[in-house]
Amino acid sequence: IYEPFSLFFKDYIESLYREGKISDLWTETEKNLRDLVTQVLRDAFGDPWEEGYRKEFPNHTTGKNKAHIIDVLIKKRDADIKKWGKRASQNVIEQTYPQEISDIIKRKWSEFEEVFSSNNIDKREFDRIMKFIGKVRTPISHSKEFVLSKPNKNIFRGYCSKINECIHNYSG
């Protein structure tokens, strides 16, 4: 039987274990957001939804070349398919970063408002939350969460949990 050198250290390690890995929480949140966006866009535009989105938002461009977001996501998806074959996802939403997910949701806010309003998240609050998440998720996604302060980690956990709760409670 292992005896810790300090009961405080043992309690600290156990609290970390109970919290779970912050990267796992982000993975769950990102998946939930992508699934939600896919569902709502299919409901709004049919399947495939990409052309309907392109027609409604012809000026939704991204990147230094200012290409339409759909073209950028299709190009990334096709590169994944070329690299990974049948294991690659066909869903272009799988290619999004948090800011792109946020931009899509904000453009179709009327379709997403019901999801987030149950937790008093309006469009401005959602934007603020996603900007924070976008900033903090980079070190988390690259196994560098040690650079984040404990308060920022706690805020990140809280925001992810709040988003997950909204999505899980949504019956759309």
Side-chain angles (χ1 to χ4, degrees):
I1 295 177
Y2 171 74
E3 292 292 324
F5 65 88
S6 159
L7 288 178
F8 172 78
F9 182 71
K10 176 184 175 279
D11 291 344
Y12 171 71
I13 295 299
E14 285 176 352
S15 75
L16 291 178
Y17 180 77
R18 278 191 305 276
E19 286 179 356
K21 289 176 57 180
I22 197 168
S23 59
D24 291 344
L25 178 61
W26 169 241
T27 298
E28 175 189 0
T29 305
E30 187 174 40
K31 180 185 180 319
N32 287 337
L33 280 166
R34 287 177 173 164
D35 289 349
L36 173 70
V37 168
T38 300
Q39 174 190 341
V40 169
L41 293 178
R42 282 181 178 153
D43 289 348
F45 299 113
D47 194 19
W49 57 267
E50 293 86 352
E51 284 310 310
Y53 185 89
R54 184 193 311 270
K55 286 177 185 171
E56 186 167 334
F57 301 104
N59 297 323
H60 186 178
T61 59
T62 189
K64 59 185 172 192
N65 295 331
K66 296 295 180 194
H68 194 275
I69 185 71
I70 298 299
D71 295 328
V72 171
L73 298 176
I74 288 171
K75 186 175 181 179
K76 289 180 186 179
R77 180 204 56 200
D78 291 349
D80 270 6
I81 291 170
K82 186 175 182 181
K83 184 175 184 178
W84 303 109
K86 292 180 181 177
R87 292 179 309 212
S89 174
Q90 298 292 317
N91 185 356
V92 297
I93 291 298
E94 297 295 327
Q95 303 299 327
T96 55
Y97 288 103
Q99 191 57 53
E100 293 164 332
I101 293 171
S102 178
D103 290 345
I104 290 168
I105 290 174
K106 289 184 303 185
R107 279 179 168 76
K108 289 293 284 178
W109 183 253
S110 63
E111 304 285 334
F112 290 94
E113 185 173 17
E114 182 184 341
V115 177
F116 298 104
S117 64
S118 64
N119 253 328
N120 299 317
I121 300 174
D122 63 12
K123 190 175 182 178
R124 274 184 44 192
E125 177 69 359
F126 181 79
D127 184 48
R128 193 177 67 73
I129 288 170
M130 289 303 290
K131 282 182 178 167
F132 181 84
I133 285 175
K135 180 179 82 173
V136 174
R137 62 86 43 200
T138 301
I140 291 168
S141 295
H142 296 280
S143 300
K144 295 179 182 178
E145 66 184 70
F146 57 87
V147 303
L148 300 172
S149 68
K150 186 166 181 137
N152 278 346
K153 287 180 188 178
N154 289 337
I155 293 167
F156 183 84
R157 283 183 193 279
Y159 284 162
C160 287
S161 296
K162 196 171 193 178
I163 288 170
N164 288 332
E165 181 182 333
C166 289
I167 294 170
H168 290 302
N169 291 337
Y170 176 62
S171 60

